[in-house]
Amino acid sequence: MKTLNLILVFIRDQVHSIPALHRWLTDFVWADIVRWHPPVLSRWESAEIIVREKASVARFGDGEYKQMRNKNMRRQRHSKELASRLREILYSDAPNFYAAVLEPVLIDREQDVSDTRKRTLVHNYRILVKLDRRRRLSAWISQAYSIEYIDLVKRIWHHRDVVLITNPDTREKAMNCGLFANANRVDFISVTITHAFSQYDAVFRQAKSAPAGTLFILACGPTATVLAFDLHQLGFQAVDIGGFIHGAHHLLSGE
């Protein structure tokens, strides 16, 4: 079936001039993805596991998949090295490390899946088809959609020494809304908002000198995905929270 779907995805990519056929092929392959895709926990369950297990997490959203398909992202140009690292991490089975993914059918949100979402999943079929059946955390942990959920995520860094790796604007938002007020201390490593992977070696060199027990919170696109894995390999807990800080700032500050 997977071989057939690979053929159908190839055909689908060639028939944009026949909308009905293109739509049928998309729906056919998407339905099969839903049937065999690994189980993905809800964002609440995912956050609870991070708190309970002190697990490290790298997130794979549409941008990371796009990078693995050798495409530029909005804020990160394509890099062969980055794409290779992302593939390595997505299929990793490192202990207490989770490569969080987007579930094909949205769990704790609206259940209708848009045509755009279906098309994106089918675009990523060649990547998704290699996933094993291990339980996955949800990449939607990055969406701060309620005060109650924010309070749950804040337990990740409760009474911890934190190093936040992100750009200055995101850091300012985090500090202004008191998001890390329950941490013991918060230090900061700065990266640029665009093309952060070009700074990877310098950032990783600075990060790995942190004291044992440091918690890394990462918000720097696909660079965070790689940092989460590499820092975990050194014995740190590292959590890629994506755009969580911006959503939390909006709710907590009332802006």
Side-chain angles (χ1 to χ4, degrees):
M1 188 63 174
K2 292 179 179 179
T3 301
L4 172 60
N5 280 334
L6 286 170
I7 295 170
L8 294 180
V9 170
F10 174 78
I11 295 172
R12 166 189 173 273
D13 291 343
Q14 314 304 314
V15 295
H16 290 285
S17 59
I18 312 175
L21 178 57
H22 189 269
R23 187 165 54 251
W24 182 86
L25 288 168
T26 296
D27 287 345
F28 183 90
V29 176
W30 174 78
D32 193 54
I33 290 173
V34 172
R35 281 192 292 270
W36 60 253
H37 194 282
V40 181
L41 300 179
S42 72
R43 80 186 81 185
W44 281 84
E45 293 170 314
S46 301
E48 286 167 352
I49 283 177
I50 299 168
V51 172
R52 183 173 65 249
E53 299 180 5
K54 289 186 168 54
S56 293
V57 181
R59 294 174 53 260
F60 285 80
D62 293 335
E64 284 72 26
Y65 289 133
K66 192 173 185 180
Q67 183 75 215
M68 286 188 282
R69 298 197 333 260
N70 303 319
K71 304 291 185 181
N72 289 323
M73 299 168 62
R74 185 164 65 94
R75 291 180 174 173
Q76 178 63 62
R77 68 176 66 88
H78 175 255
S79 157
K80 288 183 179 180
E81 180 186 2
L82 175 56
S84 176
R85 292 303 316 280
L86 291 175
R87 293 186 193 97
E88 171 196 355
I89 295 163
L90 178 61
Y91 306 127
S92 168
D93 60 357
N96 207 33
F97 175 85
Y98 292 91
V101 299
L102 301 174
E103 58 270 31
V105 177
L106 304 178
I107 297 174
D108 49 9
R109 304 174 59 196
E110 66 277 9
Q111 291 300 307
D112 292 335
V113 179
S114 69
D115 288 341
T116 300
R117 185 87 206 109
K118 291 178 183 178
R119 287 195 298 272
T120 300
L121 281 164
V122 174
H123 270 310
N124 297 329
Y125 185 83
R126 296 175 184 85
I127 299 167
L128 298 174
V129 75
K130 297 178 183 178
L131 293 174
D132 60 31
R133 292 291 300 171
R134 282 181 293 119
R135 175 187 65 176
R136 297 276 174 168
L137 302 193
S138 173
W140 292 118
I141 57 172
S142 63
Q143 293 203 340
Y145 69 106
S146 72
I147 297 295
E148 293 77 14
Y149 180 69
I150 293 171
D151 287 341
L152 170 59
V153 172
K154 286 174 65 177
R155 289 169 53 198
I156 296 172
W157 50 79
H158 187 62
H159 289 172
R160 299 284 300 275
D161 292 336
V162 174
V163 172
L164 174 61
I165 304 181
T166 191
N167 63 77
D169 177 66
T170 300
R171 179 218 184 184
E172 183 177 358
K173 283 181 166 59
M175 297 299 104
N176 286 348
C177 70
L179 184 60
F180 291 92
N182 63 322
N184 280 346
R185 60 176 292 166
V186 182
D187 293 320
F188 176 60
I189 297 176
S190 179
V191 296
T192 56
I193 196 169
T194 58
H195 313 308
F197 193 68
S198 64
Q199 302 171 282
Y200 187 83
D201 290 343
V203 171
F204 183 60
R205 186 164 53 249
Q206 184 177 353
K208 68 182 182 180
S209 65
T214 296
L215 167 66
F216 287 91
I217 299 297
L218 315 170
C220 46
T223 302
T225 308
V226 182
L227 279 169
F229 183 77
D230 288 350
L231 289 168
H232 178 79
Q233 294 294 84
L234 293 178
F236 295 105
Q237 182 186 7
V239 181
D240 169 10
I241 61 170
F244 180 86
I245 291 172
H246 288 266
H249 175 265
H250 176 74
L251 285 177
L252 294 174
S253 65
E255 293 184 5

